[in-house]
Amino acid sequence: QPVAREQVDLQQHYPQPGWAEHDPTEILDSVVKCCLGAMSKGKASTADIAAIGITNQRETTVAWDRETGEPFHKAIVWLDLRTS
C-alpha cells in the first residue's frame, strides 16, 4: 500500500494556436518536489523507499542535449496538434 502521495500541476504554454507545451525543467523540478513532499508526508528517508510510481497524462515528448543535459525546446504534450 502507498504510504504517501504528492502531485504538482504544471503550467501549460500555448505559443500559438494548436500548440501545447510544458517546460522540461519544470517537469524535472516537479518530480523532485513530489518525491520530497511524499517523503515528508510519509515521514520517510531515502533508505525507506522501496519503489516510486510516476505517471502523467498521455504522451509528452522532449529532447535533451546529451552534452549539456539541457532541453533543446519545451516539451510537446499530448494536446499539441503537432502530435497528430
Side-chain angles (χ1 to χ4, degrees), residues 17-83:
W19 289 21
E21 302 173 341
H22 286 162
D23 179 340
T25 305
E26 184 183 356
I27 295 171
L28 182 57
D29 291 345
S30 74
V31 171
V32 172
K33 183 177 180 179
C34 283
C35 289
L36 294 174
M39 289 171 59
S40 177
K41 285 180 180 178
K43 297 178 177 48
S45 71
T46 54
D48 298 319
I49 307 298
I52 296 174
I54 299 175
T55 186
N56 72 347
Q57 292 181 327
R58 300 187 187 188
E59 297 84 18
T60 299
T61 302
V62 62
W64 301 86
D65 185 301
R66 178 185 312 208
E67 304 207 2
T68 67
E70 296 296 317
F72 285 115
H73 191 273
K74 285 192 170 78
I76 298 173
V77 301
W78 68 274
L79 286 169
D80 196 301
L81 295 181
R82 292 173 287 178
T83 64

